[in-house]
Amino acid sequence: MNVKTLVINGLIAALYVVVSIAIAPFGFTNIQFRISEMFNHLVVFDKRYFFGIVIGVFIVNLNSPLGWYDLVFGVAHSVISLGIIIFLSKFIKDKLTLLFLNTIVFTFNMFIIAFALNLALELPFWFTWLTTAIGEFGVLLIGIPIFYALHKRLRFDKLI
């Protein structure tokens, strides 16, 4: 990893943390609307954003009311979902298609977060999966046109 990639990943992690803290009450329980999850779309443009996103998730989850559950399951959710998209990007080159797939993968994988909430707070699994998935889907769906438009101007694949 070169210095430029390291710095950009540090900035992504910092942005993820700042945006998450700004909406903290809506980012940790069974009704989540974590706007910083939009940064997950960056991996569609270049897999090297993976580290900044995962580090950002880890730092934010250090302050989670769920404690170690969120550290383990929250980070696992990001690693697994991002890994799936990185794998799919080897076969699918259309960025808009990948952005929609990213939204679907992260939304479906919210069962990991629902499981953590079930363990930590004894929240009902299926209902929690539904509510967290709805929030994730909404945030990432809103993020598609934003990140697609930003990519047209900033060229995320050339920044890193």
Side-chain angles (χ1 to χ4, degrees):
M1 189 180 297
N2 66 32
V3 173
K4 183 179 178 182
T5 303
L6 188 62
V7 168
I8 290 174
N9 272 292
L11 290 171
I12 296 301
L15 285 169
Y16 189 99
V17 170
V18 168
V19 173
S20 294
I21 290 171
I23 54 95
F26 303 105
F28 291 104
T29 58
N30 60 327
I31 299 175
Q32 294 190 11
F33 198 74
R34 194 183 281 193
I35 296 169
S36 52
E37 286 289 286
M38 284 186 198
F39 289 110
N40 293 326
H41 285 318
L42 287 172
V43 80
V44 165
F45 303 104
D46 195 310
K47 65 183 177 185
R48 292 176 290 179
Y49 290 111
F50 173 91
F51 298 105
I53 297 164
V54 171
I55 291 167
V57 170
F58 179 81
I59 292 169
V60 165
N61 288 348
L62 284 171
N63 298 308
S64 170
L66 301 180
W68 71 270
Y69 289 106
D70 220 358
L71 278 177
V72 172
F73 292 100
V75 172
H77 172 257
S78 294
V79 168
I80 291 166
S81 300
L82 292 169
I84 291 169
I85 294 305
I86 290 168
F87 176 76
L88 290 175
S89 70
K90 293 178 183 188
F91 307 102
I92 302 167
K93 300 302 176 196
D94 181 63
K95 299 303 182 196
L96 202 50
T97 300
L98 282 170
L99 287 167
F100 279 103
L101 284 173
N102 192 43
T103 300
I104 291 165
V105 167
F106 268 90
T107 299
F108 175 79
N109 285 343
M110 287 304 282
F111 75 86
I112 298 168
I113 305 304
F115 183 67
L117 288 163
N118 177 263
L119 290 175
L121 304 176
E122 298 181 8
L123 294 174
F125 174 79
W126 293 108
F127 183 72
T128 303
W129 187 9
L130 176 67
T131 59
T132 57
I134 289 170
E136 187 80 356
F137 183 76
V139 166
L140 289 173
L141 196 62
I142 291 166
I144 290 173
I146 294 169
F147 275 80
Y148 194 72
L150 285 172
H151 172 65
K152 293 283 187 193
R153 181 170 282 287
L154 300 175
R155 297 296 309 198
F156 291 129
D157 54 341
K158 306 284 186 217
L159 286 178
I160 198 162

